[in-house]
Amino acid sequence: MLAIKHGIWRVSGSDVRLVKNVTLDLEIELEEIIQSNPAVLDDNWLIIGRQVLTEFNTYIDLLAIDNSGSIIIIELKKHKTSREVVAQGLDYASWVKGLSASQISVIYESYIAKYPKYQHSLEDAYYNKFKVKLEEENINHSHQIVIVAAELDSSTERIVEYLSDSLIPINVIFFTVFEEDSTKYISRAWMIDPQETLDNASNVVKDKEPWNGEYYVSFGDGTNRSWSDALTYGFISGGGGEWYSRTLNQLSIGDRVWANIPGVGYVGVGTVTDTAKKADEVFFPQDGVEQTIYQLSSKANYFKEFLHDDDRAEFIVKVNWIQALPASAAVSEIGFFGNQNTVCKPRASKWIHTINRLKGIWHIQ
C-alpha cells in the first residue's frame, strides 16, 4: 500500500497554480506543532508526555491518551531510517504496555512541569478535554503506535501493513507541507483507516479473552441525547465528532448490543434492526406519522447544529429492546466493564463477567 502523494493547487479564476511543497524540520518544528495542537493528528487525543524517558534509556517523542483511556505512542521519523522507527515504536509499546495508572500520572506531572499553562492533574485535564471522568481501570487498557513521517520506503510500508493485518495496533500519518506567501499549510493522510487501528488496539488488552459476539454501547445521556428517547423509540446513537459516531458502523442487523450510561450503569440490551444513519434520515412511527427524533424529542438536541456536517452530526442505529430500563433503575456493580467508545467489541475478562451477571439479573439467554 503506497501512500498517496498530496498536492495543493491555488485556484483564482482561470489562474491555477501548484502551491510549493516545502520541508519542515521534523525534529523540532513538527513536534512543537503537535505538542501544542494534537488535533493536527487527532482531535480526540490529549498529549500527556514529551520526550518520555523509558527504562531502556530511550525517549518516546510524544505520548497521548484518547477518550477511551488508550495510550498512543507517537514517534516522529526524524533522521531515523524507516525500519528503525517501526522497530523503535514496537520497543516502546512493550514498555508502555506495562505502565500502571499511577506511572502514567507521574509521566503527565513531569510533562506539565515544563509547561505552566497546562497546570492540571491528569484527571482534570482529561475531563476538560473529553467532558467525561477518567476511570483508573480504563487507563492504558490498550495502546497504539503512530508513526509520523513525510514518507516511508515501500518495504517499510509493507511491514506496517503486515503488522496491522496481524492485529498489531500500528499506523502511519503522512504529512506534506506547502508554503505560499510565507504561510505554511499542512496536509495529513493516514496510511490505514484509524478505526482499524482502534479495533486492533482492543486486541491488546492485558486480560484479553476471545470476543463473545456481544457489543458494548456507551450511551451519553444528557443535553446531546436522551436515554428516555432511546428507550421509548428504540435506538442508540452517537455524534459530536467522527470518533463518537464512526464505531456505530460496526453494527449490522441482528447484532446484540448492551447499553451502558457512563457513571450510571447498564440500562438495556437489544437487537440491531437497521444500520447507522444520520439522525435526520431515521424515522420513527408516531400516531401513524413517520417522524425524526428532532420532531419527537424535547429532551435533547442531538447535535442539531451539526445537521449538515457529516463528521460531527448525530448518527442513529435502530434497536429492538429485549430488556430496557430507565436510568434510575440502571444496573451497576464493582467490576463491571466500562469504556468511552460508542460501540466496541470488548475482549477483556471484565466484559465476560459483566455479560454473565446481566444475563442472570435480567433472565436473558
Side-chain angles (χ1 to χ4, degrees):
M1 180 190 298
L2 297 177
I4 298 171
K5 184 176 181 180
H6 280 207
I8 294 178
W9 283 260
R10 182 177 185 274
V11 179
S12 178
S14 60
D15 180 21
V16 180
R17 290 186 288 113
L18 181 66
V19 178
K20 182 176 66 174
N21 183 203
V22 297
T23 301
L24 280 177
D25 182 345
L26 286 177
E27 187 166 9
I28 301 174
E29 196 169 355
L30 187 53
E31 188 172 313
E32 286 285 349
I33 291 170
I34 295 168
Q35 188 272 147
S36 61
N37 188 2
V40 170
L41 298 182
D42 193 303
D43 192 38
N44 287 290
W45 292 355
L46 171 69
I47 300 297
I48 60 171
R50 182 178 181 184
Q51 292 302 312
V52 178
L53 178 64
T54 74
E55 64 181 13
F56 315 125
N57 286 321
T58 52
Y59 291 87
I60 300 174
D61 290 333
L62 294 164
L63 269 186
I65 189 171
D66 71 13
N67 55 0
S68 74
S70 183
I71 301 298
I72 300 97
I73 300 152
I74 303 167
E75 271 301 291
L76 279 64
K77 184 172 177 291
K78 298 181 183 176
H79 305 299
K80 292 171 281 196
T81 68
S82 298
R83 292 192 182 194
E84 281 178 335
V85 74
V86 172
Q88 200 156 46
L90 292 169
D91 189 32
Y92 293 155
S94 71
W95 178 72
V96 166
K97 183 178 180 180
L99 293 177
S100 66
S102 59
Q103 287 174 309
I104 288 171
S105 291
V106 169
I107 289 171
Y108 182 74
E109 289 166 7
S110 299
Y111 169 61
I112 62 170
K114 302 174 186 176
Y115 302 97
K117 68 177 181 177
Y118 299 140
Q119 289 296 335
H120 298 284
S121 67
L122 177 57
E123 291 81 0
D124 289 343
Y126 187 92
Y127 185 83
N128 290 340
K129 171 69 176 176
F130 302 121
K131 305 307 178 189
V132 293
K133 183 180 178 182
L134 178 61
E135 301 290 347
E136 182 174 339
E137 63 186 22
N138 290 335
I139 300 176
N140 201 22
H141 65 89
S142 66
H143 60 267
Q144 304 165 49
I145 306 162
V146 175
I147 296 166
V148 178
E151 60 181 3
L152 296 180
D153 61 80
S154 58
S155 173
T156 305
E157 289 189 8
R158 288 194 300 272
I159 291 170
V160 171
E161 188 176 12
Y162 170 77
L163 290 170
S164 179
D165 288 344
S166 302
L167 306 183
I168 304 299
I170 187 169
N171 211 332
V172 179
I173 296 179
F174 294 103
F175 274 93
T176 306
V177 184
F178 303 89
E179 185 174 24
E180 185 177 58
D181 299 331
S182 300
T183 299
K184 289 187 174 72
Y185 303 89
I186 298 177
S187 172
R188 180 197 72 189
W190 290 87
M191 177 177 166
I192 300 164
D193 183 348
Q195 183 58 51
E196 185 176 329
T197 308
L198 281 172
D199 290 344
N200 288 344
S202 70
N203 288 317
V204 296
V205 291
K206 297 173 184 177
D207 57 345
K208 68 178 180 181
E209 300 278 351
W211 180 50
N212 62 359
E214 309 271 5
Y215 286 88
Y216 168 88
V217 170
S218 175
F219 192 96
D221 185 33
T223 302
N224 299 315
R225 70 189 58 83
S226 164
W227 172 248
S228 178
D229 287 340
L231 191 157
T232 301
Y233 303 114
F235 69 87
I236 57 173
S237 66
E242 188 182 7
W243 194 95
Y244 299 97
S245 60
R246 66 189 176 195
T247 55
L248 291 166
N249 292 318
Q250 297 180 68
L251 298 173
S252 301
I253 295 172
D255 288 336
R256 191 154 75 168
V257 296
W258 299 76
N260 176 51
I261 299 175
V264 177
Y266 282 82
V267 286
V269 55
T271 304
V272 172
T273 61
D274 199 0
T275 54
K277 295 181 175 64
K278 282 181 65 179
D280 63 332
E281 299 172 356
V282 179
F283 295 89
F284 303 94
Q286 185 73 5
D287 299 327
V289 179
E290 295 284 322
Q291 300 183 65
T292 70
I293 196 63
Y294 298 109
Q295 296 168 305
L296 292 170
S297 180
S298 60
K299 299 180 176 70
N301 61 33
Y302 296 93
F303 290 110
K304 190 173 183 178
E305 68 271 29
F306 300 141
L307 208 56
H308 304 295
D309 183 340
D310 287 353
D311 288 338
R312 294 190 286 178
E314 187 81 358
F315 283 75
I316 284 176
V317 173
K318 283 188 172 183
V319 173
N320 178 31
W321 295 117
I322 300 167
Q323 174 72 273
L325 307 169
S328 59
V331 179
S332 178
E333 293 182 359
I334 294 174
F336 269 13
F337 177 86
N339 193 286
Q340 296 303 328
N341 287 281
T342 303
V343 175
C344 67
K345 300 187 291 187
R347 291 173 172 84
S349 58
K350 273 189 176 183
W351 179 238
I352 306 298
H353 164 73
T354 302
I355 294 304
N356 288 339
R357 280 289 296 146
L358 290 173
K359 286 179 178 179
I361 293 169
W362 290 340
H363 306 291
I364 294 171
Q365 296 298 316

